[in-house]
Amino acid sequence: MSIIIFTGLGVYYYANLPAYTYEEAVKKVEAYESQSGKSVQVQIPEHREDKLGVGKRSYLSTTHYTYYIYVTVEGESVTHRFDPLNGEFEPSARKLK
């Protein structure tokens, strides 16, 4: 019986892992910003706390963190908040420290 429970929990956990790593999220945002033909430079923060923010907490999700992606587009700093579970992102007012 316990094997069934632990197997079920393992499958649930594996199925709900974030679909995007931070590096994959950076590539997706960079590709989006580059579509307009503008020059884009990615700024990857050194510290983990500059990369992550807390999103909406859910007991059924394996993470409630969001990624912050920092890019410079034509000399202007732009930040995107990226949801690693579904790949959606939106502009954010947060700035790199």
Side-chain angles (χ1 to χ4, degrees):
M1 182 66 170
S2 62
I3 291 174
I4 294 171
I5 292 172
F6 286 120
T7 302
L9 288 174
V11 168
Y12 174 79
Y13 178 79
Y14 182 76
N16 287 299
L17 286 175
Y20 294 88
T21 64
Y22 188 82
E23 291 75 18
E24 292 169 336
V26 167
K27 288 179 185 177
K28 185 171 180 175
V29 170
E30 183 179 23
Y32 170 78
E33 289 290 351
S34 297
Q35 287 178 351
S36 61
K38 297 179 181 177
S39 67
V40 177
Q41 182 180 7
V42 176
Q43 302 171 5
I44 298 183
E46 292 181 27
H47 306 289
R48 183 174 186 254
E49 59 269 9
D50 292 329
K51 296 178 182 179
L52 299 177
V54 178
K56 187 171 40 171
R57 180 165 277 200
S58 170
Y59 291 108
L60 299 177
S61 297
T62 55
T63 185
H64 62 279
Y65 288 103
T66 56
Y67 300 150
Y68 284 97
I69 312 298
Y70 306 95
V71 293
T72 303
V73 181
E74 296 290 320
E76 182 181 337
S77 294
V78 179
T79 305
H80 292 281
R81 185 173 44 234
F82 190 98
D83 185 342
L85 296 174
N86 60 20
E88 295 178 0
F89 57 93
E90 62 186 6
S92 173
R94 183 173 174 166
K95 298 293 180 196
L96 186 59
K97 297 176 187 177

